[in-house]
Amino acid sequence: MSSLPLAVTQRRRRSVRHTLDVRVSPYAYVAPFFLLFCAFGLFPLVYTAWVSLHEWTLLSETQEFIGLGNYSTLLADSYFWNATFNTLSIGILSTVPQLALAIWLAHLLNRRLRLQTLFRVALLLPNVTSVVAVVVIFSQLFGRDFGMINWILSWFGVGQIDWAAGTASSHVALSVMIMWRWTGYNALIFLAAMQAVPRDLYEAATLDGASSFTQLRRITIPMIRPTIIFVVIVSTIGAMQIIAEPMLFGQSSGGGGGIATGGPDRQFQTLALFVYEQGFANATFDFGYASAASWLMFVAVVVVAGINFLLTRRVKGGLL
């Protein structure tokens, strides 16, 4: 008779352990991520908002609370709006052709080809290349006197272009660098989505006489629309945070100006580079002003990403 209560007790203990395992363990598994996010993501974000409300420099021992003073000064700063324009210009020039080319490359690799693995690995190589090496090489390619790009353009009667000196030319050069690094990476994401599209749809379309381009428009793009939305949003966020390419381009091309000014006339200074200049390159180390710029950049990223999300969701079965 004594073994019966013992068995019941053991079953109850197993039931309690099972309940804890089912209900509590999922939270324990995700807890490390949220702890790290709070420590290195949420806290810096909130603290930066607090700093942006102060006159906060490293040269002063006191930080005076000025409310929205940094924001009002920033909105009247022509350098800030110049950096905003440059960021949007470079982002559009690099993102739109990049995504179109990535979808086209993924569509080609989605067919039965020889050495498919080799081609897929080759697409990923630009992404794992050091950004410093990329900028140095492309700065030589876009060189004014001995660059290969100007040499090719001379065949068509185009004179020597000082790519780093002009606003439009420098934006084109930076966009080409960004496209070269990220097109293959996005193509692999699109390719993974295309692999899940039923092959029967393509076979039926081929029997109906649909061309490869028609299949891309009518079958592939509508079927991978969620992936397209994801890639558009991620690419938009990345384009709004460009800093390494313009920072190194000005030095490698010999365009003059400080490392954080984006050229002598700030012709390719981005928002991220503007924040770096205010917080770390200026002699005053104005963290309050830089924090306000960071928050406005955050708002700009959210707005632009939201607009792209709404526009992409409206894409139906037709061509993008």
Side-chain angles (χ1 to χ4, degrees):
M1 296 295 293
S2 60
S3 61
L4 184 59
L6 180 60
V8 173
T9 302
Q10 291 177 348
R11 284 197 299 271
R12 288 178 178 176
R13 290 178 178 176
R14 286 195 296 268
S15 177
V16 170
R17 287 197 299 268
H18 176 73
T19 302
L20 292 176
D21 181 62
V22 172
R23 296 185 178 181
V24 179
S25 59
Y27 296 97
Y29 296 148
V30 299
F33 164 78
F34 285 102
L35 291 176
L36 292 174
F37 172 75
C38 291
F40 300 102
L42 184 60
F43 172 74
L45 192 66
V46 175
Y47 188 70
T48 302
W50 173 252
V51 172
S52 69
L53 303 177
H54 293 75
E55 185 69 33
W56 197 300
T57 64
L58 292 185
L59 301 182
S60 176
E61 296 181 357
T62 60
Q63 294 82 34
E64 180 184 356
F65 182 82
I66 58 175
L68 300 178
N70 283 325
Y71 292 94
S72 60
T73 303
L74 191 63
L75 292 176
D77 191 343
S78 60
Y79 290 159
F80 170 76
W81 291 111
N82 173 72
T84 302
F85 168 77
N86 292 338
T87 302
L88 292 175
S89 175
I90 296 173
I92 293 173
L93 289 175
S94 62
T95 302
V96 175
Q98 173 194 150
L99 296 180
L101 183 59
I103 291 178
W104 180 70
L105 288 175
H107 180 65
L108 293 180
L109 291 178
N110 195 35
R111 300 179 176 183
R112 292 184 177 89
L113 299 174
R114 295 181 179 179
L115 304 176
Q116 281 188 342
T117 304
L118 178 62
F119 288 123
R120 294 173 184 177
V121 172
L123 285 178
L124 196 59
L125 286 179
N127 183 249
V128 300
T129 306
S130 171
V131 63
V132 177
V134 172
V135 176
V136 170
I137 292 174
F138 274 89
S139 296
Q140 299 300 318
L141 293 176
F142 284 100
R144 182 188 61 184
D145 298 322
F146 306 104
M148 182 179 293
I149 304 299
N150 280 343
W151 176 59
I152 295 176
L153 291 178
S154 66
W155 299 349
F156 304 96
V158 180
Q160 291 182 336
I161 301 176
D162 191 350
W163 294 92
T167 300
S169 59
S170 61
H171 291 188
V172 171
L174 288 169
S175 299
V176 171
M177 299 179 198
I178 298 170
M179 287 174 56
W180 187 83
R181 287 195 68 213
W182 294 101
T183 298
Y185 177 81
N186 290 326
L188 290 181
I189 296 179
F190 288 136
L191 179 61
M194 292 178 185
Q195 295 289 310
V197 179
R199 306 301 302 181
D200 297 342
L201 297 178
Y202 294 108
E203 294 175 358
T206 302
L207 293 177
D208 291 338
S211 64
S212 176
F213 183 68
T214 302
Q215 294 179 21
L216 175 64
R217 292 177 51 213
R218 300 299 183 183
I219 299 176
T220 305
I221 290 179
M223 293 295 292
I224 67 170
R225 190 173 62 170
T227 304
I228 294 176
I229 294 175
F230 168 77
V231 173
V232 167
I233 294 176
V234 172
S235 299
T236 301
I237 294 174
M240 295 293 292
Q241 297 176 339
I242 298 170
I243 183 172
E245 288 85 354
M247 178 182 290
L248 297 171
F249 181 59
Q251 297 299 308
S252 300
S253 60
I259 191 174
T261 58
D265 298 325
R266 300 176 181 267
Q267 61 268 28
F268 51 89
Q269 185 185 50
T270 60
L271 280 173
L273 204 54
F274 177 80
V275 172
Y276 174 81
E277 178 191 13
Q278 301 302 320
F280 300 98
N282 278 349
T284 57
F285 298 99
D286 195 345
F287 283 3
Y289 198 65
S291 298
S294 299
W295 264 91
L296 287 183
M297 185 176 72
F298 171 75
V299 173
V301 169
V302 172
V303 171
V304 174
I307 293 174
N308 278 343
F309 173 73
L310 294 177
L311 292 177
T312 310
R313 285 195 61 182
R314 295 180 65 87
V315 176
K316 301 299 181 182
L319 181 65
L320 282 176

